[in-house]
Amino acid sequence: MADVLHHHVGGRRVPGDAAPMGDVTNPATGEVIARVPFGSASLVAEAIRSAAEAQPAWAAVTSQNRARVMYRFKALVEEHIDELAERVSREHGKTLSDARGSVTRGIEVVEFACGISQMLKGEFSADVGTGVDSHAARHPLGVVAGITPFNFPAMVPMWMFPMAIACGNTFVLKPSEKVPSCALRLVELLEEAGAHPGVLNVVNGDKVAVDTLLADPAVQAVSFVGSTPIAEYVYRTGTANGKRVQALGGAKNHMVVMPDADLEQATDALMGAAFGSAGERCMAVSVAVTVGNPVGDALIERLRPRVESLRIGPYTDPDADMGPLITRQHYEKVRGYIDLGVEEGAELVVDGRGFSLQGYENGNFIGGSIFDRVTRDMRIYKEEIFGPVLSVVRADDYEEALGLVNDHELGNGAAIFTRDGDAARDFSTRARIGMVGVNVPIPVPVAYHSFGGWKRSLFGDHHMHGPEGVRFYTRLKTVTERWPSGIRQGAEYVMPVLQ
Ligand code: NAD
């Protein structure tokens, strides 16, 4: 019997109301492992109310004591990391070691949130005028909401709520309906760590829940991570309703391989970045741009046997390099893109469509694929596939390669592999991309920097976590005060200036 999941509102598990239910499946077997209730508008409104009621008391807790809750939360997540990784893998399909790594990246954001007092302490200027001081500090917004995608069930929620809550906000999280159970466990651990009931609420659901969060005037800000069309929708709707929004979207990350690159290093990097997590990462490399035909030929020669011998299996196989795709529907979509690439005239060097795994015939397994001689007009180049499909585009020179990176409408990450410092520096400077790697294929910023793309990979002004996360979840107040009160200046009718 599949588990029936719940929501978590005001410190309590709330069973699904009469709303519809969705299936949570194990992608390796196709088996329904849980049923998730889709929260109605009234259930989501209740969660927002509970967050609003909890917020003044939470904001009144000193930042140091909020940080202490984060320290305890970090310890609890570490203690339960195996359980959390298992939840990630069972619902998402990625290997256990990959899942563990992603939870660890989430913990690193909690570690940053432990230092929140340092980020909030503000600025002070004595004597901005005679007997006048000025100080500025960042204040929480109130209730904020987070809407997260299926591919990082623990890490992406942890990009958001630890930062927001450490800043003194309360939070309503709507995780992906495909992978809901991690968020439900995280809220229990946060409350065990000492967060007041209502500080973090988890509502499961779909568009109804999202639209309720976007419309409710009590929600001050919305953090979103997901596909570009929904990111744009969330940004436009949220900002039209007067909210602050950061909406991170899809990606088509290019890796430029220069003629002087260490090809063994570049091949290793591409294998992990294109096929790790079955390509279901927003920082996956899905396009390799080779500069000069000899590099293209040499790279294909190295990649082909490696992709053909990828070990693909369920998360319970400790030797698997990658697992299945999230759903049957997504499997059909990725397969459809491989059919399309053939129709569009790209050269299919390795075809993953024939892959099947004995004993797991109902799983969403697909083999790794490589297309060579992909061109910029093809849909397999322009659109995000989000699967283990690598396109190789051959450029004649560096400028053409950079032009491809810059002309693509998505601008999440990009990397250059080279031994030439000039080329690397030029690429870092001129690439219209949010996160750039130099001989680093997946340049995910560490927690004390901020994560985010450019162009249609991010709608809004702020990246996530790190200093940008603090700015997003707070607003600035500047106080100007006159002491001692004994100084009498009389009425002033002209603009006050420094004296
Ligand atoms: P998605 O856009 O389908 O869903 C994301 C969230 O939006 C989910 O919680 C979902 O329930 C909700 N949603 C879906 N349809 C909606 C609608 N019509 N109206 C309102 N809400 C809706 O994304 P996904 O398939 O879960 O995740 C994969 C996508 O996320 C990929 O495009 C990937 O590149 C992107 N992603 C981006 C980043 C980043 O940092 N830029 C990180 C991870 C994933």
Side-chain angles (χ1 to χ4, degrees), residues 17-272:
D17 42 17
M21 291 263 179
D23 287 341
V24 180
T25 54
N26 176 340
T29 60
E31 176 200 359
V32 175
I33 48 177
R35 304 268 294 146
V36 59
F38 286 2
S40 61
S42 64
L43 182 279
V44 178
E46 188 189 324
I48 297 168
R49 232 180 357 260
S50 132
E53 280 167 18
Q55 203 270 331
W58 183 245
V61 172
T62 62
S63 64
Q64 188 77 2
N65 279 337
R66 293 197 302 262
R68 288 185 177 126
V69 172
M70 288 298 154
Y71 276 106
R72 288 193 290 272
F73 179 55
K74 167 182 143 60
L76 284 168
V77 175
E78 281 170 342
E79 200 182 302
H80 292 86
I81 191 165
D82 290 335
E83 177 206 329
L84 287 162
E86 167 101 22
R87 283 172 190 266
V88 170
S89 291
R90 198 171 56 229
E91 294 181 357
H92 176 279
K94 65 178 78 180
T95 64
L96 268 178
S97 52
D98 191 23
R100 229 184 126 86
S102 72
V103 179
T104 303
R105 292 303 294 254
I107 292 172
E108 289 170 6
V109 180
V110 182
E111 284 168 357
F112 180 75
C114 289
I116 200 66
S117 303
Q118 171 71 12
M119 299 300 297
L120 296 180
K121 71 184 181 191
E123 297 169 336
F124 179 85
S125 295
D127 296 323
V128 295
T130 308
V132 179
D133 301 332
S134 185
H135 53 93
R138 305 205 65 91
H139 293 254
L141 303 176
V143 177
V144 299
I147 300 154
T148 54
F150 78 80
N151 65 326
F152 286 106
M155 182 184 82
V156 171
M158 286 161 85
W159 283 355
M160 302 175 181
F161 74 78
M163 296 296 309
I165 287 171
C167 288
N169 301 285
T170 52
F171 205 90
V172 181
L173 171 65
K174 206 291 294 165
S176 165
E177 63 279 24
K178 298 183 182 103
V179 292
S181 80
C182 256
L184 291 169
R185 192 69 185 108
L186 289 171
V187 62
E188 288 173 356
L189 296 178
L190 188 73
E191 287 175 0
E192 193 180 331
H196 303 168
V199 165
L200 176 61
N201 305 275
V202 178
V203 291
N204 285 303
D206 58 0
K207 184 171 168 52
V208 172
V210 172
D211 285 346
T212 309
L213 291 168
L214 294 175
D216 194 311
V219 175
Q220 300 296 310
V222 178
S223 297
F224 172 90
V225 176
S227 59
T228 288
I230 311 297
E232 186 168 19
Y233 167 75
V234 166
Y235 178 76
R236 290 194 189 287
T237 313
T239 53
N241 289 338
K243 300 182 195 316
R244 192 180 279 194
V245 181
Q246 54 177 184
L248 278 60
K252 195 79 178 178
N253 304 316
H254 293 47
M255 178 169 136
V256 175
V257 185
M258 295 293 284
D260 65 352
D262 176 336
L263 277 190
E264 300 308 325
Q265 188 196 26
T267 306
D268 281 342
L270 270 173
M271 287 306 298

Side-chain angles (χ1 to χ4, degrees), residues 314-369:
Y315 76 90
T316 43
D317 174 357
D319 297 323
D321 299 316
M322 68 182 221
L325 294 169
I326 181 75
T327 55
R328 181 58 26 182
Q329 191 189 14
H330 190 55
Y331 168 90
E332 297 297 348
K333 181 177 156 191
V334 172
R335 218 189 135 92
Y337 270 115
I338 303 173
D339 298 343
L340 177 68
V342 174
E343 278 166 37
E344 290 184 310
E347 202 177 293
L348 186 57
V349 177
V350 182
D351 182 356
R353 289 174 297 183
F355 181 83
S356 80
L357 191 63
Q358 211 184 356
Y360 292 89
E361 286 76 10
N362 293 327
N364 312 319
F365 291 99
I366 194 162
S369 296

